[in-house]
PDB file of all heavy atoms in Angstrom:
ATOM      1  N   GLY A  83     -37.385  -7.949  74.687  1.00 96.00           N
ATOM      2  CA  GLY A  83     -35.955  -7.986  74.419  1.00 96.00           C
ATOM      3  C   GLY A  83     -35.596  -8.752  73.159  1.00 96.00           C
ATOM      4  O   GLY A  83     -34.448  -8.678  72.700  1.00 96.00           O
ATOM      5  N   ASP A  84     -36.557  -9.462  72.594  1.00 97.00           N
ATOM      6  CA  ASP A  84     -36.313 -10.174  71.336  1.00 97.00           C
ATOM      7  C   ASP A  84     -36.425  -9.228  70.136  1.00 97.00           C
ATOM      8  O   ASP A  84     -36.113  -9.629  69.008  1.00 97.00           O
ATOM      9  CB  ASP A  84     -37.337 -11.309  71.153  1.00 97.00           C
ATOM     10  CG  ASP A  84     -37.206 -12.390  72.220  1.00 97.00           C
ATOM     11  OD1 ASP A  84     -36.069 -12.624  72.702  1.00 97.00           O
ATOM     12  OD2 ASP A  84     -38.246 -12.981  72.582  1.00 97.00           O
ATOM     13  N   SER A  85     -36.882  -8.019  70.354  1.00 97.00           N
ATOM     14  CA  SER A  85     -37.014  -7.049  69.260  1.00 97.00           C
ATOM     15  C   SER A  85     -35.636  -6.769  68.673  1.00 97.00           C
ATOM     16  O   SER A  85     -34.740  -6.271  69.355  1.00 97.00           O
ATOM     17  CB  SER A  85     -37.656  -5.752  69.763  1.00 97.00           C
ATOM     18  OG  SER A  85     -38.971  -5.992  70.219  1.00 97.00           O
ATOM     19  N   ALA A  86     -35.464  -7.112  67.402  1.00 97.00           N
ATOM     20  CA  ALA A  86     -34.165  -7.014  66.725  1.00 97.00           C
ATOM     21  C   ALA A  86     -34.379  -7.383  65.260  1.00 97.00           C
ATOM     22  O   ALA A  86     -35.484  -7.741  64.857  1.00 97.00           O
ATOM     23  CB  ALA A  86     -33.154  -7.963  67.367  1.00 97.00           C
ATOM     24  N   VAL A  87     -33.312  -7.310  64.493  1.00 96.00           N
ATOM     25  CA  VAL A  87     -33.349  -7.811  63.118  1.00 96.00           C
ATOM     26  C   VAL A  87     -32.772  -9.228  63.127  1.00 96.00           C
ATOM     27  O   VAL A  87     -31.711  -9.465  63.710  1.00 96.00           O
ATOM     28  CB  VAL A  87     -32.544  -6.917  62.157  1.00 96.00           C
ATOM     29  CG1 VAL A  87     -32.547  -7.509  60.748  1.00 96.00           C
ATOM     30  CG2 VAL A  87     -33.119  -5.504  62.147  1.00 96.00           C
ATOM     31  N   TYR A  88     -33.486 -10.148  62.515  1.00 98.00           N
ATOM     32  CA  TYR A  88     -33.068 -11.546  62.468  1.00 98.00           C
ATOM     33  C   TYR A  88     -32.636 -11.911  61.051  1.00 98.00           C
ATOM     34  O   TYR A  88     -33.375 -11.705  60.089  1.00 98.00           O
ATOM     35  CB  TYR A  88     -34.209 -12.459  62.924  1.00 98.00           C
ATOM     36  CG  TYR A  88     -34.460 -12.347  64.405  1.00 98.00           C
ATOM     37  CD1 TYR A  88     -35.167 -11.261  64.918  1.00 98.00           C
ATOM     38  CD2 TYR A  88     -33.957 -13.292  65.295  1.00 98.00           C
ATOM     39  CE1 TYR A  88     -35.371 -11.124  66.279  1.00 98.00           C
ATOM     40  CE2 TYR A  88     -34.166 -13.164  66.659  1.00 98.00           C
ATOM     41  CZ  TYR A  88     -34.865 -12.076  67.147  1.00 98.00           C
ATOM     42  OH  TYR A  88     -35.064 -11.944  68.499  1.00 98.00           O
ATOM     43  N   PHE A  89     -31.415 -12.439  60.943  1.00 97.00           N
ATOM     44  CA  PHE A  89     -30.865 -12.839  59.662  1.00 97.00           C
ATOM     45  C   PHE A  89     -30.793 -14.359  59.573  1.00 97.00           C
ATOM     46  O   PHE A  89     -30.328 -15.017  60.497  1.00 97.00           O
ATOM     47  CB  PHE A  89     -29.453 -12.276  59.467  1.00 97.00           C
ATOM     48  CG  PHE A  89     -29.390 -10.789  59.338  1.00 97.00           C
ATOM     49  CD1 PHE A  89     -29.101  -9.994  60.436  1.00 97.00           C
ATOM     50  CD2 PHE A  89     -29.620 -10.180  58.114  1.00 97.00           C
ATOM     51  CE1 PHE A  89     -29.038  -8.613  60.323  1.00 97.00           C
ATOM     52  CE2 PHE A  89     -29.564  -8.802  57.994  1.00 97.00           C
ATOM     53  CZ  PHE A  89     -29.274  -8.018  59.100  1.00 97.00           C
ATOM     54  N   CYS A  90     -31.212 -14.872  58.450  1.00 97.00           N
ATOM     55  CA  CYS A  90     -31.044 -16.272  58.119  1.00 97.00           C
ATOM     56  C   CYS A  90     -29.765 -16.387  57.284  1.00 97.00           C
ATOM     57  O   CYS A  90     -29.481 -15.505  56.458  1.00 97.00           O
ATOM     58  CB  CYS A  90     -32.267 -16.701  57.313  1.00 97.00           C
ATOM     59  SG  CYS A  90     -32.196 -18.326  56.594  1.00 97.00           S
ATOM     60  N   ALA A  91     -28.973 -17.432  57.519  1.00 95.00           N
ATOM     61  CA  ALA A  91     -27.752 -17.633  56.754  1.00 95.00           C
ATOM     62  C   ALA A  91     -27.609 -19.110  56.424  1.00 95.00           C
ATOM     63  O   ALA A  91     -28.108 -19.975  57.150  1.00 95.00           O
ATOM     64  CB  ALA A  91     -26.532 -17.145  57.532  1.00 95.00           C
ATOM     65  N   ALA A  92     -26.927 -19.395  55.328  1.00 93.00           N
ATOM     66  CA  ALA A  92     -26.738 -20.772  54.890  1.00 93.00           C
ATOM     67  C   ALA A  92     -25.309 -20.992  54.438  1.00 93.00           C
ATOM     68  O   ALA A  92     -24.634 -20.048  54.004  1.00 93.00           O
ATOM     69  CB  ALA A  92     -27.708 -21.092  53.756  1.00 93.00           C
ATOM     70  N   SER A  93     -24.862 -22.246  54.538  1.00 88.00           N
ATOM     71  CA  SER A  93     -23.482 -22.557  54.179  1.00 88.00           C
ATOM     72  C   SER A  93     -23.402 -23.912  53.488  1.00 88.00           C
ATOM     73  O   SER A  93     -24.275 -24.770  53.659  1.00 88.00           O
ATOM     74  CB  SER A  93     -22.602 -22.548  55.426  1.00 88.00           C
ATOM     75  OG  SER A  93     -21.247 -22.733  55.089  1.00 88.00           O
ATOM     76  N   ILE A  94     -22.339 -24.065  52.724  1.00 80.00           N
ATOM     77  CA  ILE A  94     -22.067 -25.331  52.044  1.00 80.00           C
ATOM     78  C   ILE A  94     -20.899 -25.987  52.746  1.00 80.00           C
ATOM     79  O   ILE A  94     -19.936 -25.309  53.121  1.00 80.00           O
ATOM     80  CB  ILE A  94     -21.717 -25.088  50.563  1.00 80.00           C
ATOM     81  CG1 ILE A  94     -22.902 -24.439  49.856  1.00 80.00           C
ATOM     82  CG2 ILE A  94     -21.309 -26.387  49.868  1.00 80.00           C
ATOM     83  CD1 ILE A  94     -22.584 -23.953  48.466  1.00 80.00           C
ATOM     84  N   ALA A  95     -20.981 -27.288  52.936  1.00 67.00           N
ATOM     85  CA  ALA A  95     -19.883 -28.001  53.597  1.00 67.00           C
ATOM     86  C   ALA A  95     -18.601 -27.779  52.830  1.00 67.00           C
ATOM     87  O   ALA A  95     -18.567 -27.782  51.610  1.00 67.00           O
ATOM     88  CB  ALA A  95     -20.209 -29.488  53.658  1.00 67.00           C
ATOM     89  N   TYR A  96     -17.552 -27.545  53.563  1.00 62.00           N
ATOM     90  CA  TYR A  96     -16.256 -27.222  52.972  1.00 62.00           C
ATOM     91  C   TYR A  96     -15.277 -28.267  53.472  1.00 62.00           C
ATOM     92  O   TYR A  96     -14.932 -28.273  54.638  1.00 62.00           O
ATOM     93  CB  TYR A  96     -15.864 -25.826  53.415  1.00 62.00           C
ATOM     94  CG  TYR A  96     -14.601 -25.258  52.795  1.00 62.00           C
ATOM     95  CD1 TYR A  96     -14.285 -23.926  53.012  1.00 62.00           C
ATOM     96  CD2 TYR A  96     -13.748 -25.987  52.021  1.00 62.00           C
ATOM     97  CE1 TYR A  96     -13.132 -23.345  52.487  1.00 62.00           C
ATOM     98  CE2 TYR A  96     -12.606 -25.446  51.490  1.00 62.00           C
ATOM     99  CZ  TYR A  96     -12.301 -24.122  51.716  1.00 62.00           C
ATOM    100  OH  TYR A  96     -11.174 -23.573  51.192  1.00 62.00           O
ATOM    101  N   SER A  97     -14.832 -29.115  52.591  1.00 49.00           N
ATOM    102  CA  SER A  97     -13.925 -30.176  53.025  1.00 49.00           C
ATOM    103  C   SER A  97     -12.526 -29.613  53.191  1.00 49.00           C
ATOM    104  O   SER A  97     -12.099 -28.746  52.452  1.00 49.00           O
ATOM    105  CB  SER A  97     -13.916 -31.308  52.003  1.00 49.00           C
ATOM    106  OG  SER A  97     -13.513 -30.830  50.748  1.00 49.00           O
ATOM    107  N   GLY A  98     -11.843 -30.068  54.157  1.00 50.00           N
ATOM    108  CA  GLY A  98     -10.480 -29.609  54.373  1.00 50.00           C
ATOM    109  C   GLY A  98     -10.421 -28.465  55.370  1.00 50.00           C
ATOM    110  O   GLY A  98     -11.432 -27.910  55.763  1.00 50.00           O
ATOM    111  N   ALA A  99      -9.242 -28.080  55.738  1.00 48.00           N
ATOM    112  CA  ALA A  99      -9.072 -27.000  56.702  1.00 48.00           C
ATOM    113  C   ALA A  99      -9.386 -25.679  56.022  1.00 48.00           C
ATOM    114  O   ALA A  99      -8.872 -25.363  54.968  1.00 48.00           O
ATOM    115  CB  ALA A  99      -7.637 -26.984  57.218  1.00 48.00           C
ATOM    116  N   GLY A 100     -10.235 -24.904  56.642  1.00 54.00           N
ATOM    117  CA  GLY A 100     -10.577 -23.623  56.033  1.00 54.00           C
ATOM    118  C   GLY A 100     -11.786 -23.007  56.673  1.00 54.00           C
ATOM    119  O   GLY A 100     -12.239 -23.415  57.715  1.00 54.00           O
ATOM    120  N   SER A 101     -12.295 -22.020  56.029  1.00 60.00           N
ATOM    121  CA  SER A 101     -13.426 -21.290  56.570  1.00 60.00           C
ATOM    122  C   SER A 101     -14.699 -21.684  55.823  1.00 60.00           C
ATOM    123  O   SER A 101     -14.655 -22.287  54.760  1.00 60.00           O
ATOM    124  CB  SER A 101     -13.190 -19.799  56.411  1.00 60.00           C
ATOM    125  OG  SER A 101     -13.014 -19.507  55.031  1.00 60.00           O
TER     126      SER A 101
END
Side-chain angles (χ1 to χ4, degrees):
Chain A
D84 296 329
S85 297
V87 177
Y88 289 78
F89 293 97
C90 172
S93 185
I94 298 170
Y96 186 171
S97 59
S101 59

